[in-house]
Amino acid sequence: MYKSINLLVAFVFGLLPTLLYASQNSDQSAAGQCPYAQFGAKQVYWGDLHVHTGYSLDAWGYGTHATPADAYAFAKGAPIVLPDGTRVALDRPLDFMAVTDHAEWFNLLYMCTDPQWRSADYCKTMTEKNNPAQGTEVFGEYVIPTITKAAPVPTPLCESNQTACRRAQDAQWGRIQQQTHQANAPCSFTAFAAFEWSATPDFSHNHRNVIFANANVTDQALDYLRYPTPQQLWQQLDQDCREQDGCEAIVIPHNTNMGDGKGFDVESEPTDLLSLRARFERLVEIHQQKGNSECLPEFNSEDEGCAFERYLTLNSVPTPAAQYTETQWEKMRATYVRGLLQRGLKAYTASAEEQRNPLQLGIIASTDTHAATGGFVEENQWLGSVFGLGDFDRAMTRVDFNPGGLVAVWAEENTRPSIFNALKNREVYATSGPRIRTRLYAADTPIGCEAPHGVAMGSELPKDTRKAHFLIQANYDRTPLTQIEIIKGQWVNGATQESVHTVWKNSDGALDLCIAWTDEQFDANAPAFWYIRVLEAPTPRWSEHQCRAEGRCEDFPQARRTVRERAWTSPVWFLPKPT
């Protein structure tokens, strides 16, 4: 019997009105253009699609009590109090955001914070030690046993109280939807209903964020416990989120730098799963607090461009490069973003009949904040990850973490339909935090700055293209730009080739740039991709700001660093007919 009044009230009086309100709100945003919108004229909107609140167990365990409503208010400019008592606010609010709390613990958190269950022995550590100083005990007792098993099982509380847990899971998902839809304000701020599917089999991060286009969402939040593989996640989404019912979703892999090379088995997946992968996984997160996932150099080699905010692990344990075997390194390298894009070209050439690239991924960044502080990415303001807040020595144990990044979209207006379409069409890009404004065009004829033409980032050149011309527009944020690079990958003679082309460089820096470039090595028979990397001049990293403020840089020499913030565009692809 479902005994908890709190659960029942939330489920009946929370979820159902939420869906009604959301439907009305969605209709409003889809009904017409915003007053400022002009058809075909796109502008940049800034957002964060990876934000955790106190509804995520790992965030709760380290003292985050903020709700999704609090997180959305922060994104709009309201202040928030961090677990250590510090009050912070964004100096530049976001345009859109998604709260992506871990679905695996919706039931547990709801129940253990409910008066009926709070005093249960199983809940005590979670409710008595959820603070920055003792949060590691919460993490070890609840988080690790839940999501790190290859064959996950429910928590002991939910094994013995299955009906209550099932209803709690639904009620928590309902509360998240309600707060999300209330925060959505068409034309000024977009809030997307979302959750994170947090597979960590054998401590390998294979996590995905699931972002819904509108108020038509799955009845349940799909979690790793019930759907333990990416394939099962897509299959359930395919069943529960149908376009004919108005439901659309995007699945975004993140932290591939911590995935031990798992989760992207395109070489062995059957055609139906490749189709589901291509349908749902249209984006990949290149940068966030737990490291950058753009690229690794070849084994036992160095590449300055691939060393940016690098955070190497094996089975979630920080591991220096020298301790990797070549097999481990190359396997990990294959699931960094550049490796995935190259594997997509190879898979395309093998799909002569379907002509499908299952790893045709647009590029975004986000924060993965666990303090409900989406978009809080300024190096001189960030205090370290939630795991170390309030204690400088503890913060320095995660000195290789960083503030995370932002996702930028080119869209006509700030509404759910417009921004989701930009995400779906991959007309998006990533930054490591600054609001660098950049755009990429490609065409088979030269492109001028005055009237750019051709396809935009995230798109494909026509299959009959014989020349490849590019135009890059880049505008600085607060720090001058010093370098622009084009990264190219192609599949030639049965092998991938990778090259980095510096198309502009000036140590004195520039504020606004328009650069034309022609790929003189373009091969009309070779599948290829190109994306842009825009670099700023060096500035102090967050860790240097903090060690200087504490007067302890001599104690932590690894904190003394500068950082060259940057932006990465989504690729442009050339996919000729496979031969």
Side-chain angles (χ1 to χ4, degrees):
M1 179 179 180
Y2 189 29
K3 300 178 180 178
S4 172
I5 299 298
N6 186 28
L7 291 178
L8 184 60
V9 169
F11 183 63
V12 176
F13 295 101
L15 178 58
L16 296 182
T18 293
L19 297 181
L20 291 173
Y21 171 86
S23 178
Q24 296 166 355
N25 208 19
S26 177
D27 290 343
Q28 178 185 357
S29 63
Q33 292 185 340
C34 301
Y36 55 78
Q38 295 181 3
F39 181 76
K42 297 179 180 179
Q43 57 184 305
V44 173
Y45 294 100
W46 295 96
D48 192 338
L49 297 177
H50 194 173
V51 174
H52 294 279
T53 75
Y55 287 11
S56 284
L57 180 56
D58 47 357
W60 166 270
Y62 284 93
T64 296
H65 291 175
T67 65
D70 296 327
Y72 286 118
F74 178 82
K76 295 178 180 183
I80 202 168
V81 178
L82 300 177
D84 69 335
T86 304
R87 185 181 178 90
V88 298
L90 293 177
D91 58 357
R92 293 185 287 185
L94 295 177
D95 298 309
F96 65 94
M97 198 178 81
V99 167
T100 54
D101 283 316
H102 297 286
E104 288 69 27
W105 303 299
F106 281 1
N107 47 25
L108 187 63
L109 264 169
Y110 197 100
M111 292 178 70
C112 284
T113 56
D114 179 89
Q116 179 182 347
W117 302 95
R118 188 180 180 90
S119 59
D121 288 341
Y122 184 77
C123 295
K124 284 186 177 179
T125 298
M126 200 177 102
T127 55
E128 296 175 0
K129 297 185 177 181
N130 59 320
N131 58 72
Q134 296 175 291
T136 300
E137 294 184 51
V138 178
F139 198 90
E141 185 168 333
Y142 302 101
V143 175
I144 290 177
T146 310
I147 62 171
T148 59
K149 297 177 181 178
V153 295
T155 62
L157 184 67
C158 286
E159 280 189 309
S160 55
N161 299 278
Q162 294 181 19
T163 300
C165 275
R166 186 166 55 251
R167 291 175 175 170
Q169 182 89 2
D170 293 341
Q172 191 79 321
W173 179 218
R175 290 206 301 182
I176 290 169
Q177 291 176 63
Q178 181 183 37
Q179 293 171 59
T180 299
H181 300 320
Q182 288 177 340
N184 192 53
C187 300
S188 62
F189 183 84
T190 295
F192 289 109
F195 57 79
E196 180 173 332
W197 175 87
S198 311
T200 318
D202 299 321
F203 294 88
S204 300
H205 281 242
N206 300 156
H207 300 192
R208 265 81 171 162
N209 288 324
V210 180
I211 314 294
F212 291 96
N214 51 48
N216 299 308
V217 304
T218 53
D219 291 338
Q220 57 180 331
L222 310 180
D223 59 74
Y224 172 58
L225 304 181
R226 293 174 294 173
Y227 308 100
T229 67
Q231 293 80 4
Q232 288 173 295
L233 171 65
W234 310 325
Q235 288 170 330
Q236 197 64 37
L237 276 173
D238 183 48
Q239 178 177 317
D240 294 352
C241 183
R242 303 186 306 168
E243 289 191 25
Q244 58 264 42
D245 297 328
C247 182
E248 285 190 86
I250 290 175
V251 177
I252 307 174
H254 65 83
N255 272 128
T256 63
N257 63 308
M258 297 177 67
D260 299 315
K262 301 176 183 177
F264 298 92
D265 305 316
V266 296
E267 292 82 6
S268 59
E269 287 173 345
T271 299
D272 60 332
L273 289 180
L274 289 173
S275 296
L276 288 178
R277 181 190 287 276
R279 171 185 161 195
F280 288 115
E281 297 200 350
R282 304 181 68 83
L283 302 171
V284 63
E285 188 179 282
I286 199 171
H287 187 77
Q288 58 120 267
Q289 288 187 5
K290 293 194 288 290
N292 187 267
S293 302
E294 181 190 1
C295 54
L296 286 180
E298 294 182 355
F299 186 64
N300 280 339
S301 67
E302 295 297 327
D303 180 348
E304 182 181 353
C306 292
F308 178 73
E309 294 293 1
R310 196 163 80 179
Y311 185 66
L312 294 173
T313 66
L314 280 174
N315 303 116
S316 295
V317 177
T319 306
Q323 295 182 19
Y324 277 74
T325 67
E326 183 172 0
T327 298
Q328 291 170 329
W329 184 266
E330 292 301 329
K331 186 175 181 181
M332 184 76 88
R333 184 170 179 252
T335 53
Y336 274 61
V337 171
R338 199 180 294 176
L340 293 173
L341 295 174
Q342 292 173 348
R343 290 169 66 186
L345 297 182
K346 179 180 179 180
Y348 176 77
T349 63
S351 65
E353 294 183 4
E354 294 85 9
Q355 296 188 27
R356 174 189 54 246
N357 180 349
L359 291 172
Q360 197 163 340
L361 300 167
I363 294 174
I364 70 160
S366 286
T367 60
D368 191 21
T369 175
H370 281 62
T373 50
F376 193 55
V377 292
E378 300 292 346
E379 299 280 347
N380 63 349
Q381 298 177 21
W382 199 61
L383 303 175
S385 74
V386 72
F387 315 108
L389 285 175
D391 186 298
F392 178 72
D393 291 271
R394 194 166 58 234
M396 287 298 101
T397 65
R398 297 176 187 263
V399 69
D400 288 333
F401 280 24
N402 71 89
L406 297 175
V407 51
V409 306
W410 284 97
E412 293 176 343
E413 58 186 2
N414 191 353
T415 61
R416 281 175 170 170
S418 189
I419 290 181
F420 190 84
N421 282 340
L423 295 170
K424 184 177 177 181
N425 294 334
R426 311 180 190 92
E427 197 169 353
V428 300
Y429 65 97
T431 84
S432 59
R435 300 193 180 192
I436 300 168
R437 181 185 174 98
T438 189
R439 208 161 190 182
L440 170 64
Y441 296 93
D444 59 0
T445 57
I447 310 172
C449 296
E450 294 76 18
H453 67 277
V455 301
M457 64 181 81
S459 302
E460 294 180 28
L461 283 164
K463 294 186 183 300
D464 60 355
T465 296
R466 291 295 177 265
K467 293 281 187 179
H469 301 272
F470 298 87
L471 187 79
I472 307 109
Q473 295 175 332
N475 306 95
Y476 86 115
D477 181 21
R478 292 169 169 171
T479 301
L481 308 177
T482 57
Q483 191 165 327
I484 295 178
E485 301 165 319
I486 290 185
I487 290 85
K488 178 184 178 181
Q490 62 180 350
W491 179 261
V492 180
N493 298 326
T496 55
Q497 295 179 356
E498 176 184 316
S499 55
V500 178
H501 307 267
T502 299
V503 298
W504 178 86
K505 186 175 183 178
N506 187 326
S507 59
D508 292 332
L511 306 184
D512 304 298
L513 293 164
C514 182
I515 306 294
W517 182 76
T518 299
D519 185 353
E520 301 293 353
Q521 282 74 50
F522 177 75
D523 184 340
N525 297 309
F529 64 80
W530 302 260
Y531 69 89
I532 307 304
R533 190 164 61 191
V534 181
L535 282 71
E536 289 186 348
T539 52
R541 191 174 183 266
W542 76 272
S543 53
E544 179 158 340
H545 283 293
Q546 290 303 311
C547 77
R548 286 183 179 276
E550 294 286 330
R552 297 185 61 192
C553 290
E554 291 185 2
D555 296 338
F556 297 94
Q558 71 273 29
R560 295 290 301 272
R561 305 186 208 173
T562 59
V563 60
R564 294 187 72 185
E565 306 279 16
R566 58 199 63 195
W568 305 261
T569 69
S570 289
V572 167
W573 284 269
F574 174 61
L575 301 174
K577 293 181 180 180
T579 56

